[in-house]
């Protein structure tokens, strides 16, 4: 009996997994009907975790690694996409930058008609814009006209603007070449002069973002060993992205502009893309640094 128990105990693990032959099964089953010890041992084996559960335990580290690797790939793809979008926006901003024309470069002739003033343009004019407003002093309806072209029009061989009809008590031509040039009055009663200046709003935004970048960077260095310091260092990248976007779109630090809506829109789009790129890059550098410092 003792030898039979030892043999059955050796076979029980295989029997529990269904790996024994029919003859061995018959021997084991006949033995456990009369041996309480072997029967209890078999019951305990059946109550253990199934092999699938054990496999899940061993697969957990692999799943975690797979998730981490997928997250890194998504971060890299997002960083590359943000960089590519930034390059596209920057190139478009450069190629579409207005090249304003002086009055004698843009206007071929003017003709007073019943409905107003008919202005005919030269072939150099690809874009025009007008702004109508009421002069608070005289109460007259004023019209400002500006004409420009850009490198993108030359590359695409865009069709020039032929003519336009303007209606107003006084009509001014804005050359927008520099702040020293006065506007040219092309229609209406002569009453003094007019001068249009560049808008400085974007300049204020630039210096505000520069100040925020400096403040966050300094605070991050002071608190570099704390979690707050690390967050401030990453936060400094967001206003820095605005400064860089402003420099790219305006081609310099002085962010004064004649066309604030266009420039602000391009700066905002470029700022979003650059912010995503810098934050993804900072995250990847932090992860690499953490891997190098692991024991």
């Amino acid at each position: 009996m003792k030898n039979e128990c030892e043999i059955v105990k050796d076979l029980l693990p295989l029997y529990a997994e269904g790996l024994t032959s029919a003859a061995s099964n018959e021997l084991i089953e006949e033995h456990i009907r009369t041996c309480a010890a072997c029967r209890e041992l078999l019951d305990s084996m059946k109550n253990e975790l199934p092999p699938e559960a054990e496999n899940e335990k061993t697969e957990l580290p692999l799943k975690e690694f797979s998730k981490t690797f997928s997250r890194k790939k998504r971060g890299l793809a997002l960083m590359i996409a943000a960089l590519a979008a930034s390059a596209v926006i920057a190139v478009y901003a450069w190629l579409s930058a207005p090249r304003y024309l002086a009055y004698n470069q843009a206007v071929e002739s003017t003709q007073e008609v019943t409905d107003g003033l008919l202005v005919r343009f030269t072939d150099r004019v690809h874009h025009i814009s007008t702004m109508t407003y009421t002069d608070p002093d005289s109460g007259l309806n004023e019209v400002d006209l500006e004409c420009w072209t850009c490198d993108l029009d030359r590359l695409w061989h865009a069709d020039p603007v032929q003519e336009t009809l303007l209606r107003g008590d006084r009509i001014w031509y804005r050359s927008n070449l520099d702040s020293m040039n006065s506007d040219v009055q092309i229609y209406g009663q002569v009453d003094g002069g007019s001068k249009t200046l560049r808008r400085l709003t974007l300049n204020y935004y630039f210096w505000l973002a520069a100040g925020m970048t400096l403040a966050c960077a300094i605070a991050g260095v002071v608190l570099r060993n704390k979690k707050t310091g690390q967050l401030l260092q990453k936060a400094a990248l967001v206003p820095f992205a605005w400064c860089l976007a402003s420099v790219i779109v305006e081609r310099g630090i002085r962010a004064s502009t004649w066309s604030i809506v266009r420039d602000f829109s391009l700066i905002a789009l470029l700022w979003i893309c650059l912010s995503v790129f810098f934050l993804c890059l900072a995250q990847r550098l932090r992860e690499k640094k953490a891997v190098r410092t692991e024991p």
Side-chain angles (χ1 to χ4, degrees):
M1 177 66 71
K2 183 177 180 181
N3 291 337
E4 186 177 346
C5 276
E6 295 297 330
I7 294 172
V8 170
K9 287 179 179 179
D10 290 340
L11 294 175
L12 281 180
L14 298 176
Y15 175 77
E17 296 182 10
L19 300 177
T20 51
S21 63
S24 299
N25 291 343
E26 184 179 352
L27 172 65
I28 294 170
E29 291 168 359
E30 183 179 352
H31 176 78
I32 60 177
R33 280 197 293 268
T34 58
C35 180
C38 290
R39 188 166 54 251
E40 291 178 0
L41 180 60
L42 177 62
D43 291 339
S44 65
M45 289 181 180
K46 289 182 178 181
N47 291 331
E48 290 180 355
L49 290 174
E52 291 80 4
E54 293 295 331
N55 291 337
E56 289 181 1
K57 284 186 175 183
T58 58
E59 289 176 359
L60 282 178
L62 294 176
K63 288 182 178 180
E64 291 297 327
F65 174 78
S66 178
K67 289 180 180 179
T68 302
F69 185 70
S70 298
R71 186 173 65 252
K72 288 183 177 180
K73 287 202 300 184
R74 288 195 297 269
L76 179 60
L78 182 60
M79 185 175 68
I80 294 175
L83 182 60
S86 300
V88 171
I89 295 171
V91 171
Y92 174 78
W94 294 337
L95 292 179
S96 65
R99 296 180 180 274
Y100 293 101
L101 302 171
Y103 177 78
N104 57 357
Q105 295 175 321
V107 178
E108 184 176 87
S109 65
T110 60
Q111 179 182 355
E112 293 186 21
V113 295
T114 304
D115 296 334
L117 183 70
L118 181 64
V119 182
R120 295 184 179 88
F121 302 106
T122 65
D123 292 340
R124 302 180 64 177
V125 179
H126 293 97
H127 303 276
I128 66 170
S129 66
T130 59
M131 183 175 64
T132 304
Y133 57 94
T134 301
D135 189 293
D137 297 327
S138 63
L140 299 176
N141 292 326
E142 309 262 347
V143 179
D144 286 349
L145 169 68
E146 57 185 15
C147 305
W148 75 93
T149 184
C150 65
D151 294 334
L152 200 59
D153 295 322
R154 299 173 185 176
L155 292 175
W156 284 359
H157 303 288
D159 295 329
V161 179
Q162 299 294 330
E163 60 185 25
T164 187
L165 179 64
L166 303 176
R167 297 181 179 88
D169 298 322
R170 280 193 303 207
I171 301 175
W172 301 88
Y173 183 85
R174 293 168 44 182
S175 61
N176 295 348
L177 296 177
D178 56 61
S179 300
M180 301 301 295
N181 285 352
S182 298
D183 299 338
V184 178
Q185 185 174 348
I186 59 177
Y187 179 78
Q189 180 182 357
V190 178
D191 183 17
S194 174
K195 181 181 294 186
T196 304
L197 302 178
R198 292 176 182 266
R199 300 287 297 274
L200 299 177
T201 304
L202 297 180
N203 208 27
Y204 301 145
Y205 291 160
F206 172 83
W207 291 112
L208 177 61
M212 293 175 62
T213 302
L214 185 61
C216 291
I218 293 175
V221 171
V222 173
L223 303 173
R224 62 181 177 276
N225 294 327
K226 298 181 180 180
K227 188 175 182 180
T228 304
Q230 296 176 358
L231 291 176
L232 286 172
Q233 289 178 0
K234 292 182 68 175
L237 296 173
V238 177
F240 173 74
W242 180 275
C243 294
L244 183 58
S246 180
V247 169
I248 292 174
V249 173
E250 297 297 329
R251 301 189 182 187
I253 295 178
R254 187 181 179 185
S256 56
T257 178
W258 299 107
S259 51
I260 188 170
V261 175
R262 170 197 176 271
D263 292 353
F264 180 83
S265 301
L266 288 173
I267 290 173
L269 287 174
L270 187 55
W271 166 65
I272 293 173
C273 296
L274 289 175
S275 295
V276 173
F277 170 74
F278 286 139
L279 292 175
C280 290
L281 180 61
Q283 180 66 21
R284 287 183 62 84
L285 293 176
R286 188 181 67 83
E287 290 175 353
K288 288 184 178 181
K289 183 178 179 181
V291 170
R292 288 196 299 267
T293 55
E294 286 182 356

